Amino acid sequence: MDAPRTDGQGDGRGDRPPRVVIIGSGFAGFHTAKSLARRTRGAVDIVVVSPTNYFLYLPLLPEVAGGILEPRRIAVALSDALPACVHHAPGEVDAIDLDVREIGWLDPEGVHHRTTYDRLVLAAGSVHKVMPIPGVSEYAVGFRGVPEAIYLRDHVVRQIDLAEMCDDPAEREARCTFVVVGAGYTGTEVAAQGQLFTRALARSRGLDPDAMRWVLVSRGEVLAGLDEHLARTADAVLRRRGVEVHTHETMEEADEHGVVLSSGERIPTRTLLWCVGVRADPLIERLDIELDDGRVVVHETLQVPGRPELYACGDVAAVPDPTRPGEHTPTTAQHAVRQGALAGRNLAASLGYGSVRPYRHRDLGFVVDLGGFQAAAAPLHLPLTGLPAKIVTRGYHLAAMPGNRLRTAVDWVLEAVQPRQSAQLGLVRSPAIPLDTASPEVPQHHLGFPHASGES
């Protein structure tokens, strides 16, 4: 979307309505656009710039890798979920001029675009936090987008297929060993779903399900910092299933043959998943604004100090936490959703629609899906485990998804009554999903980003 410069006064005064540009279509960006559109009822031109034309419901990504859900179930098209006054500009933002109030982006075909704005929202989300550990960048795979989930599913199936035809016991063992580094939400759920998936694959191919080895390595406890009930339940379920949980350990080195832990143990493997954590999108590092630990400093209204036209929310924003004075809100989906909704409200207020409010929140509890009939949930701090927790967990996810609920529920029913499909399509290869990338949500090859760009 190319747009001419205007001589308005920053609020759309002149020959066009106010233009609000939102960078990112994740939890924060999506809910900012939705909230703003609802409050302004089409009177504001809203542009969402992001590499993908969908909102990705990240909490269910492990179920895509585990062969339960198809990728499009958790990818809700922006055009289907947002009002017509919200326009999507497909591309990767590569230029922001805060003084001129203009941004530029590169579209999927390598064409460069620019547009001015009256308000700008930084909601670009986060990328993998890569540690300076030998071999990590070369041999580890992250887990932040659909390409990575598709790759992981295919890779796991391929390893089991290769193990079935392998004559070397040591190589077969390495192919049937899967190492996950990081025991936060993502790492815990990937290990839980993956362990069940590989056992099912082993049975279908005549291998011993008990030979499928999953190793979860964590610097701290499983789900450290979250509700104690969730952490304790997840740890117990994983260990009971045979997952090797290495708490208070780190990975020191990785190579093509395996990994070495801080205990000195060497684990032969062909699969290394990096789920250590995230950092704010590096896009914000180029801007002349205050950062705190890599995140944009904002007021409790989500405005950037000294730039009333600039807002930030979600993983890129260091939002003051009113429940913990002096600290910032964690980078969770719950906070991103609430901050996005508030950003939309306050943006609308800055344009004359409604009133401004500070960020406030109340912990509604968390849920963790552990695969099968196992889950841990603490809705309103009521501890649940087993089937009741599973029902609450899936009900929560269906309620939180902005679309595709019926298709997702149907996939869950089919998974309960039919064996999982195990075709290995090979659509995404490992060079397309480098760990250290600013865009884990899109494949990094000649059909994706980045491009050699040309101006238009």
Side-chain angles (χ1 to χ4, degrees):
M1 177 187 295
D2 289 332
R5 299 176 185 271
T6 67
D7 295 323
Q9 301 176 29
D11 296 303
R13 302 183 183 95
D15 59 354
R16 65 169 177 82
R19 174 173 294 135
V20 176
V21 175
I22 302 170
I23 300 176
S25 60
F27 280 95
F30 176 86
H31 285 279
T32 297
K34 183 177 180 180
S35 173
L36 177 61
R38 184 180 73 251
R39 295 176 182 279
T40 57
R41 300 181 180 181
V44 174
D45 181 19
I46 305 172
V47 180
V48 177
V49 185
S50 67
T52 59
N53 74 336
Y54 56 80
F55 163 80
L56 179 64
Y57 190 72
L58 270 171
L60 292 182
L61 200 61
E63 297 198 19
V64 173
I68 298 173
L69 296 177
E70 290 301 312
R72 285 187 294 179
R73 301 294 186 260
I74 65 171
V76 182
L78 299 178
S79 58
D80 295 337
L82 293 174
C85 62
V86 180
H87 309 285
H88 175 245
E92 187 83 10
V93 173
D94 59 2
I96 301 177
D97 191 323
L98 297 179
D99 296 323
V100 179
R101 296 193 184 184
E102 183 178 77
I103 75 161
W105 69 92
L106 198 65
D107 76 17
E109 296 186 347
V111 179
H112 202 268
H113 305 262
R114 303 187 76 85
T115 187
T116 55
Y117 62 82
D118 299 302
R119 302 288 186 274
L120 178 64
V121 183
L122 302 174
S126 54
V127 300
H128 301 295
K129 182 187 292 183
V130 182
M131 304 293 189
I133 298 174
V136 165
S137 296
E138 293 83 2
Y139 300 103
V141 175
F143 201 76
R144 292 288 297 166
V146 169
E148 292 165 318
I150 294 175
Y151 169 80
L152 177 57
R153 181 185 181 279
D154 279 356
H155 172 81
V156 168
V157 174
R158 183 164 57 250
Q159 295 309 306
I160 303 303
D161 286 344
L162 291 171
E164 180 189 6
M165 299 302 297
C166 184
D167 295 326
D168 182 354
E171 182 182 348
R172 184 187 305 115
E173 181 181 353
R175 293 194 183 280
C176 294
T177 299
F178 307 88
V179 178
V180 181
V181 181
Y185 261 122
T186 302
T188 299
E189 291 194 340
V190 167
Q193 297 287 356
Q195 191 261 356
L196 294 180
F197 186 35
T198 52
R199 289 182 65 87
L201 291 172
R203 283 191 291 268
S204 71
R205 286 150 173 78
L207 297 174
D208 180 7
D210 292 333
M212 302 299 109
R213 182 187 182 192
W214 280 78
V215 181
L216 181 62
V217 182
S218 175
R219 184 183 297 272
E221 298 292 333
V222 173
L223 298 179
L226 296 182
D227 184 277
E228 183 180 349
H229 161 68
L230 268 65
R232 187 172 58 250
T233 301
D235 186 279
V237 168
L238 291 175
R239 293 179 189 272
R240 188 164 62 246
R241 286 186 186 161
V243 175
E244 299 176 28
V245 182
H246 293 249
T247 55
H248 304 287
E249 285 194 53
T250 58
M251 189 191 74
E252 298 297 305
E253 182 182 351
D255 58 33
E256 60 183 318
H257 301 295
V259 302
V260 177
L261 304 185
S262 55
S263 63
E265 180 181 1
R266 180 173 183 84
I267 302 176
T269 183
R270 300 293 186 271
T271 308
L272 174 58
L273 303 179
W274 186 258
C275 304
V276 168
V278 298
R279 63 186 179 92
D281 191 297
L283 171 70
I284 64 173
E285 297 172 1
R286 316 172 198 168
L287 305 179
D288 185 21
I289 53 179
E290 184 181 357
L291 304 181
D292 187 332
D293 195 23
R295 299 163 72 187
V296 180
V297 172
V298 295
H299 295 304
E300 58 183 6
T301 59
L302 307 182
Q303 286 176 296
V304 175
R307 297 223 175 240
E309 79 288 353
L310 182 61
Y311 294 73
C313 54
D315 289 357
V316 302
V319 181
D321 191 337
T323 67
R324 301 179 303 160
E327 298 188 41
H328 300 133
T329 57
T331 54
T332 65
Q334 278 194 25
H335 283 294
V337 169
R338 294 166 179 167
Q339 289 168 14
L342 180 67
R345 177 192 180 94
N346 290 347
L347 277 162
S350 75
L351 297 170
Y353 302 87
S355 58
V356 174
R357 285 189 180 177
Y359 184 63
R360 297 286 183 269
H361 71 88
R362 185 167 65 94
D363 183 3
L364 300 178
F366 294 92
V367 296
V368 179
D369 195 318
L370 300 172
F373 294 104
Q374 292 295 325
L380 301 176
H381 304 288
L382 174 66
L384 298 174
T385 57
L387 186 58
K390 187 76 172 188
I391 294 172
V392 168
T393 298
R394 287 196 162 170
Y396 169 82
H397 288 317
L398 287 179
M401 294 177 69
N404 296 347
R405 296 185 182 94
L406 179 59
R407 289 185 171 92
T408 299
V410 168
D411 274 6
W412 282 337
V413 172
L414 291 176
E415 187 264 339
V417 299
Q418 291 188 334
R420 302 185 195 185
Q421 294 178 313
S422 60
Q424 193 265 118
L425 301 178
L427 298 177
V428 180
R429 309 300 291 182
S430 57
I433 51 167
L435 185 64
D436 194 5
T437 172
S439 300
E441 65 273 21
V442 293
Q444 304 295 301
H445 54 64
H446 70 285
L447 296 179
F449 300 102
H451 288 292
S453 64
E455 295 285 334
S456 72

